[in-house]
């Protein structure tokens, strides 16, 4: 109880303990003598006076009080007036209940509700945001997860094809999303972590440096980045582990709440959905393009068939008119013009039949080098003197079974196309070589069939084409030439002829660099001994040297790394020349060789190697490109004799070239 001056006249032990003193010490004193929070003291005083002045009982549902230790506690208080003989209140009696635990529980529940609502909004935002491709979707997922959980870093990692480790695909930190810095974690280096991922979907480590699941990479991954806590969730695709979403706390360690773990699991589900959609979209695009070409082919074949019947009648009646007119009859000239127009139309129908794969072929087993040699003079006359033509013939070329006249037509059309792409002159290269199409090649090109092929490549140094033009390049009547300069059927004819010969054709083109057409013609049977010999030699192309792969195309880089690492090499990776230079400066151990793409954004492969070899004298190099070696050398990009492997490379081809360069004492 308190009097009108706020002095305690009656207290119990609980009040004394709250203020950190004794009952005797409180008597005759006020709240202000023990509570340093002036606002609380003033609030108590106002309530006490209100009850005594109004003579009304008052319930205070919740009021804070600071105890002697400075800790905030919460009370529920009932205050009643105590009347004197004159009917006036001279004292106020307060009965308080400590509801601190209830208040804390309610606050926690409210925070959890707000947290869940924030998580739901973030997930809703992600599900409503459509991304044009899988990489963009993953970047967006990483960004939203980092902002929602308020962590310094969020990264998404995907399993390598052989499941030997995970590679970082994107990393969001400091408000910026990058391509992952080339980070990777190998299962052989961190077995406990990978075992935990297999058995537990979520790894919530408060102290990641001591947690038995994550402490394996404390020294080489966590410590250099200042990471204290980890929340990792496995991405599952079709029921199998496909990767990891990693949330990294930098600075003071933190506990991961159950709500945060549930949110992270939902983020991993969205990442799996994005990966699945990306794969499905690629297959759908390929299927759609295939169906489009088939439909155009069926239409072109039908039109050509019916039109040929009409042309047969037109040309036939022209011949009959010629028989009726004397040689000096002026009407013969008119009939001659009709016949010439009909013959030109007949040529167009033959091209349409070639595209629709309905032409009549007369296949023979032949040497492609002989076909190229036989056409050399005619091709040089056709392209003119301002085009520098170079022919590079492969040695011990396998024979092919094809129609020789159709092969000549294919070569002539490709050379004519290259000439037209260089109106001011340039360099044109024709190459032949043996190639083997393996499983890695057809994994990205489902239209191809695994086996042995003879490659005919025609490369020009023209202006090149953008991806949109390339996607239409084989369609009938599609042309980039001026009106009247072409029918748009030359490449369509090439496409149909190659397909009818059970081969396939590829285009590799970039603006400002040029174009390479690669025609793959199946090798004829009867060359198995050569194939076996080559396979045996490649099986020994192993090594233990350290290689640095520089390739801006992720899938090509991953394939090269998988092949070389699987054959004993230690592999470092970079997506740009600048990144490779940084790796070379930071890597403490020797690097024996660089395997680099020729054409890359920023520094080219040659420019990158010239800087790297200054950092590490004696460093060897193997160049790779979608353009053929002859085309690259012919354009002056590389010196003749430079070690080179052409993309798409087969596994034996890459291993042999790497081993050959490493074993060459000349470098």
């Amino acid at each position: 109880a308190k009097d009108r001056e706020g002095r305690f006249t009656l207290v119990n032990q609980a009040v004394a303990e709250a203020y950190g003193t004794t009952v005797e010490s409180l008597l005759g004193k006020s709240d202000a003598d023990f509570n340093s929070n002036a606002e609380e003291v003033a609030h108590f005083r106002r309530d006490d006076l209100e009850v005594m002045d109004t003579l009304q009982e008052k319930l205070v549902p919740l009021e804070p009080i600071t105890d002697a230790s400075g800790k905030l506690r919460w009370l529920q208080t009932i205050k009643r007036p105590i009347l004197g003989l004159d009917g006036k209140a001279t004292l106020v009696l307060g009965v308080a209940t400590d509801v601190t635990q209830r208040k804390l529980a309610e606050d926690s529940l409210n925070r959890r509700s707000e947290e869940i609502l924030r998580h739901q909004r973030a997930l809703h935002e992600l599900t409503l945001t459509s991304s044009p491709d899988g990489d963009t979707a993953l970047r967006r997922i990483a960004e939203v997860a980092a902002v929602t959980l308020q962590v310094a870093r969020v990264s998404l990692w995907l399993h390598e094809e052989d499941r030997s480790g995970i590679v970082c695909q994107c990393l969001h930190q400091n408000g910026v999303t990058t391509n992952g810095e080339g980070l990777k974690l190998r299962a052989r280096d961190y077995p406990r972590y990978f075992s935990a991922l297999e058995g537990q979907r979520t790894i919530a480590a408060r102290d990641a440096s001591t947690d038995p699941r994550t402490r394996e990479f404390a020294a080489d991954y966590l410590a250099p980045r200042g990471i204290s806590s980890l929340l990792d969730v496995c991405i599952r695709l079709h029921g199998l582990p496909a990767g990891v979403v990693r949330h990294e706390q930098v600075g003071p360690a933190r506990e991961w709440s159950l709500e945060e773990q549930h949110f992270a699991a939902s983020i991993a589900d969205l990442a799996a959905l994005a990966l699945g959609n990306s794969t499905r979209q690629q297959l759908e695009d390929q299927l759609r393009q295939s169906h489009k070409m088939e439909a155009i082919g069926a239409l072109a074949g039908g039109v050509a068939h019916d039109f040929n019947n009409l042309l047969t009648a037109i040309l036939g009646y022209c011949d009959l008119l010629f028989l009726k007119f004397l040689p000096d009859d002026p009407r013969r000239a008119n009939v001659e013009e009709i016949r010439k127009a009909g013959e030109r139309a007949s040529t167009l129908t033959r091209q349409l039949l070639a595209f629709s794969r309905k032409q009549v072929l007369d296949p023979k087993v032949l040497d492609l080098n002989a076909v190229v040699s036989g056409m050399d003079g005619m091709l040089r006359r056709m392209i003119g003197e301002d085009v520098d033509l170079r022919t590079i013939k492969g040695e011990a070329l396998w024979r092919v079974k094809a129609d020789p006249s159709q092969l000549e037509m294919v070569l002539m059309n490709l050379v004519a196309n290259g000439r037209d792409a260089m109106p001011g002159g340039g360099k044109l290269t024709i190459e032949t070589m043996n190639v083997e199409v393996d499983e890695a090649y057809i994994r990205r090109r489902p239209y191809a069939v695994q086996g042995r092929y003879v490659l005919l490549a025609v490369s020009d140094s023209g202006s090149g084409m953008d991806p949109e033009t390339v996607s239409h390049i084989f369609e009938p009547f599609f042309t980039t030439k001026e009106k009247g300069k072409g029918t748009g059927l030359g490449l369509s004819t090439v496409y149909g002829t190659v397909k009818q010969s059970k081969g396939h054709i590829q285009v590799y083109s970039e603006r400002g660099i040029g174009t390479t057409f690669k025609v793959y013609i199946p090798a004829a049977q009867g060359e198995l001994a050569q194939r076996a010999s080559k396979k045996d030699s490649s099986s020994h192309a192993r090594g233990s040297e350290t290689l640095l792969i520089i390739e801006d195309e992720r899938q090509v880089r991953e394939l090269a790394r998988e092949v070389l690492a699987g054959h004993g090499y230690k592999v470092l990776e970079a997506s740009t020349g600048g990144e490779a230079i940084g790796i070379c400066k930071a890597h403490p151990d020797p690097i024996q060789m660089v395997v680099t793409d020729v054409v890359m954004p920023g520094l080219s492969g040659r420019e990158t190697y010239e800087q790297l070899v200054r950092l590490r004298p004696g460093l060897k190099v193997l160049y790779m490109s979608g353009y053929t070696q002859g085309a690259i050398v012919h354009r002056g990009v590389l010196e003749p004799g430079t070690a080179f492997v052409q993309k798409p490379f087969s596994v034996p081809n890459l291993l042999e070239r790497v081993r050959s360069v490493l074993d060459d004492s000349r470098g």
Side-chain angles (χ1 to χ4, degrees), residues 321-438:
L321 286 174
F322 268 115
L323 295 176
K324 294 182 179 181
F325 295 144
L326 295 174
D328 57 349
D329 193 321
R331 291 174 294 180
R332 286 179 64 98
N334 294 333
V335 176
E336 179 68 26
E337 290 302 317
I338 295 173
R339 182 172 183 81
K340 287 180 181 178
E343 288 174 346
R344 286 197 298 272
S346 179
T347 300
L348 291 179
T349 60
R350 285 197 298 273
Q351 290 176 313
L352 286 173
L353 286 171
F355 172 75
S356 62
R357 288 165 258 170
K358 293 181 179 179
Q359 61 184 335
V360 178
L361 299 181
D362 183 18
K364 295 179 175 60
V365 175
L366 49 86
D367 180 359
L368 187 56
N369 279 343
V371 174
V372 173
S373 297
M375 296 185 66
D376 185 82
M378 184 195 72
L379 294 176
R380 292 183 185 277
R381 289 191 297 272
M382 182 179 74
I383 62 176
E385 295 182 355
D386 58 344
V387 176
D388 179 13
L389 175 64
R390 184 183 182 190
T391 302
I392 305 172
K393 299 173 188 173
E395 297 180 1
L397 206 65
W398 296 324
R399 293 183 177 273
V400 297
K401 188 172 184 180
D403 187 320
S405 63
Q406 294 301 316
L407 274 184
E408 291 174 354
M409 181 274 300
V410 166
L411 181 56
M412 186 171 64
N413 271 301
L414 293 178
V415 169
N417 196 75
R419 175 203 62 194
D420 294 341
M422 303 179 292
K427 297 178 179 180
L428 193 68
T429 307
I430 302 173
E431 288 182 78
T432 61
M433 66 185 73
N434 295 329
V435 296
E436 288 203 47
V437 167
D438 57 14

Side-chain angles (χ1 to χ4, degrees), residues 11 313 398 414 420 433-434 443 509 514 532 569 611 634:
V11 295
W398 296 324
L414 293 178
D420 294 341
M433 66 185 73
N434 295 329
R443 194 180 303 149
S509 185
Y569 296 100
Q611 294 196 36
H634 200 195

Side-chain angles (χ1 to χ4, degrees), residues 187-234:
R188 65 173 179 266
D189 298 328
Y190 313 112
R192 288 192 177 183
Y193 174 73
F194 279 86
S195 176
L197 279 180
E198 292 287 339
Q200 310 167 28
R201 189 180 184 197
T202 302
I203 297 177
R206 182 187 184 279
D207 186 351
S209 62
T210 60
D211 191 293
R213 300 166 296 181
T214 58
R215 65 189 179 197
E216 293 171 319
F217 43 74
D220 54 2
Y221 181 86
L222 300 176
R225 296 167 177 83
I227 298 168
S228 56
S229 306
L230 283 181
L231 175 57
D232 287 7
V233 185
C234 181

Side-chain angles (χ1 to χ4, degrees), residues 601-632:
L603 293 174
S604 69
R606 180 175 180 175
E607 292 167 338
T608 301
Y609 173 68
E610 288 173 351
Q611 294 196 36
L612 294 179
V613 78
R614 286 197 290 268
L615 294 172
R616 293 177 179 255
L619 184 68
K620 298 183 178 183
V621 63
L622 172 64
Y623 291 101
M624 54 185 177
S625 176
Y627 297 102
T628 60
Q629 183 177 18
I632 292 289

Side-chain angles (χ1 to χ4, degrees), residues 119 123 126 141 201 233 245 259-272:
H119 294 170
L123 295 172
L126 284 174
I141 287 170
R201 189 180 184 197
V233 185
V245 181
E259 286 72 26
E260 289 174 332
Q261 295 182 44
H262 288 163
F263 172 76
S266 297
I267 285 290
D269 290 338
L270 289 177

Side-chain angles (χ1 to χ4, degrees), residues 58-301:
K58 182 174 184 177
L59 171 65
V60 183
L62 194 67
E63 63 180 355
I65 180 173
T66 304
D67 64 17
S69 66
K71 182 180 178 182
L72 186 66
R73 301 169 66 188
W74 295 89
L75 304 177
Q76 185 182 78
T77 307
I78 299 176
K79 296 190 175 186
R80 296 186 179 94
I82 299 177
L83 304 180
L85 295 176
D86 57 359
K88 295 182 179 181
T90 58
L91 297 171
V92 61
L93 176 66
V95 179
T97 303
D98 191 329
V99 293
T100 302
Q101 293 304 316
R102 188 185 74 189
K103 177 67 167 61
L104 294 177
E106 289 174 352
D107 289 347
S108 176
L109 182 60
N110 290 335
R111 285 195 300 271
R112 289 180 59 190
S113 299
E114 292 173 359
E115 186 177 26
I116 292 171
L117 182 59
R118 188 173 71 253
H119 294 170
Q120 289 175 340
R121 286 173 177 166
L123 295 172
H124 185 64
E125 177 187 350
L126 284 174
T127 56
L128 292 181
T129 303
S130 59
S131 299
D133 57 79
D135 288 341
T136 303
L138 293 180
R139 285 170 170 261
R140 180 62 179 152
I141 287 170
E143 177 186 359
V144 171
V147 172
T148 305
L149 291 185
Q150 299 177 348
V151 292
R153 295 160 51 98
V154 172
S155 50
L156 286 98
W157 306 62
L158 297 183
H159 274 287
E160 297 178 291
E161 289 187 13
D162 60 359
R163 312 200 64 74
S164 62
I166 53 177
V167 180
C168 187
Q169 301 300 305
C170 65
L171 168 66
H172 184 86
Q173 61 177 344
N174 301 324
V176 178
T177 307
T178 61
N179 62 2
E181 301 180 342
L183 297 172
K184 60 174 67 68
L185 298 175
R186 300 292 186 195
R188 65 173 179 266
D189 298 328
Y190 313 112
R192 288 192 177 183
Y193 174 73
F194 279 86
S195 176
L197 279 180
E198 292 287 339
Q200 310 167 28
R201 189 180 184 197
T202 302
I203 297 177
R206 182 187 184 279
D207 186 351
S209 62
T210 60
D211 191 293
R213 300 166 296 181
T214 58
R215 65 189 179 197
E216 293 171 319
F217 43 74
D220 54 2
Y221 181 86
L222 300 176
R225 296 167 177 83
I227 298 168
S228 56
S229 306
L230 283 181
L231 175 57
D232 287 7
V233 185
C234 181
I235 302 171
R236 293 189 177 274
L237 196 59
H238 308 305
L240 297 174
V244 178
V245 181
R246 167 167 288 180
H247 310 79
E248 300 170 337
Q249 168 76 3
V250 175
R254 66 185 277 181
E255 291 284 356
W256 303 102
S257 69
L258 192 59
E259 286 72 26
E260 289 174 332
Q261 295 182 44
H262 288 163
F263 172 76
S266 297
I267 285 290
D269 290 338
L270 289 177
L273 184 61
L275 291 171
N277 287 341
S278 177
T279 302
R280 183 169 59 252
Q281 184 64 47
Q282 291 175 1
L283 294 175
E284 288 176 354
D285 289 344
Q286 292 172 354
L287 185 61
R288 205 164 19 247
Q289 179 69 10
S290 176
H291 285 171
K292 181 178 74 172
M293 297 299 283
E294 292 294 334
I296 294 174
L299 176 62

Side-chain angles (χ1 to χ4, degrees), residues 398 436 452 524-535:
W398 296 324
E436 288 203 47
R452 296 181 307 147
Q525 298 297 317
E527 306 284 346
L528 296 179
Q530 293 185 41
R531 179 184 181 188
S533 174
K534 183 171 183 176
K535 184 175 181 180

